[in-house]
Amino acid sequence: GGLLDDATAGNPVSLTYGYAIDAGTRLVVTVPQVHLPRPKLPVDGPGGISAQFKIQAAHDDAAGCLCTFELHNDLSGSTYQ
């Protein structure tokens, strides 16, 4: 389900990645339009099936950008596109 269904259907998805130093200091990267190619699914034993996606980001007209970066720290107004 989830990403695999979107990749199979050819639906773009929005992805968010983050890196945190502590609760008040973090970087959040949002990519609003990501295209997922159909992955090859290896079966690796009793743990289940894993899939890797080589993503392709596209400019999102609604968001007006390819991605956004939000830097959360002790300064205000730290969102960059």
Side-chain angles (χ1 to χ4, degrees), residues 4 9 16 29 39 42-43 46 53 61 65 67-68 71 75 79 81:
L4 180 58
T16 300
V29 180
V43 178
F53 297 96
D61 291 334
C65 62
C67 63
T68 59
L71 177 61
L75 303 174
T79 300
Q81 294 184 2

Side-chain angles (χ1 to χ4, degrees), residues 11-49:
N11 299 328
V13 298
S14 175
L15 297 178
T16 300
Y17 301 93
Y19 174 76
I21 294 174
D22 56 41
T25 308
R26 66 189 188 282
L27 176 67
V28 178
V29 180
T30 302
V31 186
Q33 190 170 162
V34 175
H35 298 275
L36 304 169
R38 182 178 286 175
K40 295 180 181 177
L41 298 174
V43 178
D44 295 333
I49 297 173

